[in-house]
Amino acid sequence: MRRILIYIVLLLLFSCEERSQRLSGGDPHSYAVADVAWIKHMNLDMEVDFEEEQIKGKVIYEIEKKEGASEIWLDTKGLTIEGVQISSDGRQGQPSPFELGSEDQFLGKSLKIQLEANTRFIHIDYKTNPGAEALQFLPKELTADKKAPFLLTQSQAILARSWVPIQDSPALRFTYKAKVKVPKGLMAVMSASNPQSLSENGAYEFRMEQPIPGYLLALAVGDFSFKPLGDNVGVYAEASVLDAAAEEFSELPEMIRIAEELYGSYEWDRYDVIVLPPSFPFGGMENPRITFVTPTVLAGDKSLVSLLAHELAHSWSGNLVTNASWNDFWLNEGFTTYFENRIMEELKGKDYAEMLAHLSYQSLSDEYPMMVSTGFELDSRLALDLNRRNPDDGMTSIAYDKGFFFLKLLEESVGRKAFDSFLRKYFSDFAFKTMDTDTFVGLLKERLLDNYPDLAEKIRLQEWIYEPGIPDNIPFKPSERFVKVEEAVNSWIAGVQLDSLKTENWTTHEWLHFIRTLPTSISPEQMAQLDAAFSLSKSNNSEIQALWYKRAIEADYEAAYPYMEKFLVEVGRRKFLLPLYRSMIEQDRETELAREIYAEARSNYHPISVGSVDQLLKWTEN
């Protein structure tokens, strides 16, 4: 007990600035004891083996430590540690005793390494094991061109430790260099400076000079090429996708300009995007310099680029100023959702941003009651308590959308000019540092709210941050464009002909709201009328397709089923798969259809999606 009390006192002696730069602050999701010894720079040498689905690596860390420190603690998960050495100069060192701790379901195993007084470098030889959670090896059949296998990593939230032994806390930053050997004919990119052409021998070198936390460590390997979109922005994609992606993302240079005008310089040198294979189960990941995105954003009309605005905004909120622990996740995602909305307002107009805000409100309204009904109402607080839990449990609409509306409330309370000034200084003062919720609240009061008497109490600051639920002073107002969509639906139900509805300039969001607003009692005949007028079953927009097919299942509109089957066979994004398969099994008459489609599509899905759909359909291999 005395040792714990001394440790707490020592932590309190450090200033907030020191904490934000190098202390984990007792991160419940990392074994790192970062006030004793911590990583400053990483040299990584890896070979990617597609046949064994394995990475063999050697990592050399330059560390700093307190005087008298005799050990350093790292995070691992499913790694084989083959040897550890220590040195004073980074050259071949001497073997050092190390110890792996017991296995934790979420955290993996700690790696404790003994240090000497002059130790400045630790050398670790290791290899990953098949099934490493961050490594997603895709056979060529799951790529767009089906010519070569593909590897991608997903380190967020605490999976970097499954492909590199590391201090895997968002509060700890390091710079890095890397050498990566891949099969000839494949390209590799990382969250670092990247090649723009193929290496003849499959060897690539990378450098990240800005310090990043471990969850932003990323690697992708495959048969893809690069196309520039501007001086410091471009896109990587497979051959069949590259030109379409370049056209779809052509507004990226303008997005960067808008973002810089709002909240300061882009600090990462380049902003590139890689379009991943269709089986990628997620929407996007904000890895510095190389955002990972799903191909389902390629709608052909730039209608889904708000996802790119979101990932770009992470270059400030998240990547530049980072949540100190996953309990503070809203400091990444709430800020980013707000920033995304501001970028899209400048790019597409205020009414467009209002539609995005309306969608955020719908997400929040859907998720909160589900939390209450399942006993997780406490997770509707912005300030989370995820101790002894998987940090992915906090990745809900609360962090994104409740966080967004809290910042929107601040903006409306003090005025946009004052709030923008606060945010710009926030990103500048805490660049390449971390932030926790309590420190942010103190900063908010000191720098902004104290200039307005009793404002903290008026906006109910405590309730928004620390209490569950959705405060009733949420600054939501319905989108005027969505109101017009609802009027169009009501007019059609009342007998107005579809060709008289003014839908010519509708965006994807308006079409989605149109489909959502259709009455639950809609008949197959009415669905057929809509399909004849608007070709919704044949849409090339994945968001529209997924929602329309869901309504088709509910309305027993079988004419859409062949198009739905093609969609489910080709697209592996879990966001689309689960609602469609769930809708089919909820309609008892379609359970067999769901299983027939899945039998054909299953081999095209990413293992993460397979696991989810297997569970949903109670699937067993014959």
Side-chain angles (χ1 to χ4, degrees):
M1 176 62 74
R2 185 182 176 194
R3 183 179 178 183
I4 295 173
L5 291 174
I6 291 173
Y7 179 68
I8 293 171
V9 170
L10 286 173
L11 286 179
L12 293 174
L13 290 175
F14 290 93
S15 68
C16 290
E17 182 174 352
E18 286 175 315
R19 285 174 60 88
S20 66
Q21 291 186 71
R22 64 175 183 81
L23 294 185
S24 68
D27 184 345
H29 297 110
S30 174
Y31 291 111
V33 185
D35 65 327
V36 173
W38 57 95
I39 293 166
K40 295 297 291 184
H41 180 77
M42 176 177 73
N43 280 300
L44 187 58
D45 195 336
M46 299 185 295
E47 182 175 357
V48 177
D49 187 335
F50 276 90
E51 289 188 5
E52 297 295 328
E53 296 191 350
Q54 182 180 70
I55 286 178
K56 298 176 182 178
K58 181 182 184 67
V59 60
I60 302 176
Y61 286 117
E62 180 180 358
I63 68 170
E64 291 188 12
K65 58 188 178 69
K66 293 180 69 173
E67 186 174 353
S70 60
E71 59 193 27
I72 186 170
W73 295 72
L74 278 68
D75 300 297
T76 76
K77 193 171 190 183
L79 297 177
T80 298
I81 305 300
E82 299 182 317
V84 174
Q85 296 180 333
I86 57 175
S87 69
S88 61
D89 57 7
R91 299 176 183 175
Q92 190 72 14
Q94 64 184 32
S96 176
F98 67 91
E99 179 183 345
L100 284 167
S102 59
E103 183 79 26
D104 180 89
Q105 177 184 1
F106 303 124
L107 306 185
K109 296 181 180 181
S110 62
L111 172 59
K112 182 175 70 171
I113 300 171
Q114 297 298 318
L115 307 176
E116 295 184 353
N118 66 347
T119 301
R120 288 188 55 239
F121 296 88
I122 57 175
H123 311 236
I124 307 172
D125 291 291
Y126 73 96
K127 63 182 180 182
T128 65
N129 291 311
E133 291 180 66
L135 300 182
Q136 300 163 2
F137 285 94
L138 307 178
K140 64 182 181 181
E141 290 78 15
L142 297 189
T143 66
D145 293 348
K146 306 188 186 307
K147 293 181 178 179
F150 202 103
L151 166 66
L152 61 96
T153 64
Q154 176 62 35
S155 295
Q156 192 182 32
I158 56 171
L159 297 180
R161 66 192 71 185
S162 71
W163 64 292
V164 184
I166 198 170
Q167 289 182 317
D168 197 9
S169 168
L172 296 168
R173 291 177 174 267
F174 56 90
T175 54
Y176 78 87
K177 294 180 183 178
K179 296 180 180 179
V180 181
K181 178 69 173 175
V182 304
K184 292 180 181 180
L186 299 185
M187 186 180 286
V189 294
M190 294 190 74
S191 50
S193 57
N194 279 306
Q196 296 180 0
S197 59
L198 192 69
S199 166
E200 292 184 0
N201 63 2
Y204 296 90
E205 295 189 10
F206 305 91
R207 180 190 298 266
M208 171 52 84
E209 296 180 343
Q210 296 91 341
I212 65 168
Y215 81 90
L216 294 178
L217 189 64
L219 170 68
V221 180
D223 181 16
F224 48 79
S225 303
F226 174 80
K227 190 168 188 175
L229 301 178
D231 292 338
N232 68 331
V233 61
V235 60
Y236 295 84
E238 294 179 72
S240 64
V241 177
L242 186 59
D243 288 342
E247 174 60 27
E248 198 82 5
F249 302 160
S250 62
E251 294 173 323
L252 267 175
E254 177 66 7
M255 287 185 181
I256 295 172
R257 183 196 66 77
I258 292 169
E260 289 190 311
E261 285 189 358
L262 282 170
Y263 299 128
S265 299
Y266 179 78
E267 299 289 353
W268 302 94
D269 299 327
R270 290 194 59 83
Y271 184 81
D272 295 322
V273 176
I274 180 170
V275 181
L276 297 171
S279 55
F280 182 52
F282 304 118
M285 179 62 204
E286 65 272 14
N287 305 307
R289 299 197 190 192
I290 188 72
T291 283
F292 286 12
V293 298
T294 170
T296 61
V297 301
L298 303 177
D301 59 0
K302 301 182 176 66
S303 59
L304 301 178
V305 296
S306 60
L307 183 145
L308 283 182
H310 184 92
E311 304 307 335
L312 171 63
H314 268 303
S315 301
W316 285 261
S317 51
N319 298 5
L320 192 63
V321 184
T322 307
N323 50 219
S325 78
W326 299 111
N327 287 333
D328 309 298
F329 186 54
W330 79 277
L331 292 175
N332 277 19
E333 294 298 350
F335 278 67
T336 297
T337 304
Y338 175 84
F339 198 168
E340 167 202 346
N341 192 271
R342 293 293 302 278
I343 292 172
M344 296 308 296
E345 179 179 328
E346 289 295 320
L347 189 69
K348 302 287 189 179
K350 186 174 179 60
D351 55 349
Y352 192 95
E354 288 176 348
M355 286 193 293
L356 294 179
H358 194 124
L359 294 173
S360 285
Y361 182 77
Q362 287 179 331
S363 296
L364 203 55
S365 301
D366 291 342
E367 184 126 26
Y368 174 63
M370 201 158 31
M371 287 179 166
V372 174
S373 65
T374 55
F376 289 98
E377 185 177 7
L378 289 179
D379 285 350
S380 65
R381 299 175 297 184
L382 290 179
L384 291 169
D385 180 4
L386 298 171
N387 294 7
R388 301 184 180 277
R389 295 173 60 190
N390 189 330
D392 289 353
D393 291 349
M395 297 182 180
T396 70
S397 178
I398 297 301
Y400 292 78
D401 301 313
K402 184 178 179 181
F404 162 72
F405 279 111
F406 172 65
L407 297 180
K408 187 71 174 172
L409 178 64
L410 292 175
E411 176 209 310
E412 293 185 1
S413 298
V414 303
R416 178 169 284 189
K417 183 178 180 180
F419 190 58
D420 280 352
S421 178
F422 167 78
L423 284 185
R424 192 179 183 95
K425 184 171 175 55
Y426 170 76
F427 290 129
S428 175
D429 288 354
F430 294 93
F432 302 108
K433 300 177 184 177
T434 55
M435 179 61 60
D436 63 81
T437 298
D438 290 345
T439 301
F440 175 76
V441 169
L443 191 75
L444 180 65
K445 290 178 179 177
E446 175 187 343
R447 293 188 174 185
L448 189 65
L449 299 185
D450 286 353
N451 297 325
Y452 304 86
D454 302 321
L455 183 57
E457 185 176 346
K458 289 178 182 176
I459 65 172
R460 290 141 61 181
L461 177 66
Q462 177 74 20
E463 181 181 351
W464 270 95
I465 301 291
Y466 296 105
E467 297 178 14
I470 312 301
D472 59 16
N473 63 339
I474 185 171
F476 167 72
K477 61 178 182 179
S479 160
E480 293 182 5
R481 288 170 66 166
F482 281 180
V483 170
K484 291 179 180 178
V485 169
E486 293 165 10
E487 291 172 351
V489 172
N490 292 334
S491 295
W492 172 59
I493 296 299
V496 172
Q497 295 298 308
L498 288 172
D499 57 11
S500 67
L501 301 182
K502 298 178 180 179
T503 63
E504 295 82 5
N505 298 318
W506 277 9
T507 64
T508 295
H509 305 306
E510 284 157 303
W511 279 112
L512 293 175
H513 195 66
F514 179 84
I515 297 170
R516 283 193 190 98
T517 308
L518 295 174
T520 56
S521 59
I522 190 169
S523 67
E525 292 74 22
Q526 289 173 309
M527 293 286 286
Q529 292 175 28
L530 293 172
D531 217 358
F534 304 125
S535 298
L536 295 170
S537 292
K538 299 178 182 179
S539 173
N540 291 320
N541 185 304
S542 59
E543 295 280 352
I544 291 174
Q545 286 175 285
L547 188 58
W548 174 251
Y549 299 147
K550 185 175 184 295
R551 296 307 307 267
I553 295 166
E554 294 165 351
D556 198 21
Y557 176 52
E558 296 184 2
Y561 288 2
Y563 303 99
M564 176 182 68
E565 180 174 356
K566 183 174 185 293
F567 177 79
L568 286 170
V569 169
E570 294 178 351
V571 174
R573 190 175 175 186
R574 190 169 57 171
K575 169 187 175 182
F576 300 143
L577 302 184
L578 291 179
L580 288 173
Y581 283 115
R582 185 179 293 112
S583 291
M584 280 187 274
I585 64 175
E586 286 174 352
Q587 306 290 327
D588 290 340
R589 62 183 181 277
E590 308 299 2
T591 299
E592 189 58 35
L593 175 64
R595 298 184 67 84
E596 289 175 2
I597 294 174
Y598 188 52
E600 179 183 357
R602 188 175 185 272
S603 63
N604 294 341
Y605 292 163
H606 187 281
I608 289 177
S609 295
V610 167
S612 298
V613 183
D614 276 1
Q615 183 177 11
L616 179 68
L617 297 181
K618 297 180 175 58
W619 186 268
T620 56
E621 293 279 26
N622 295 327

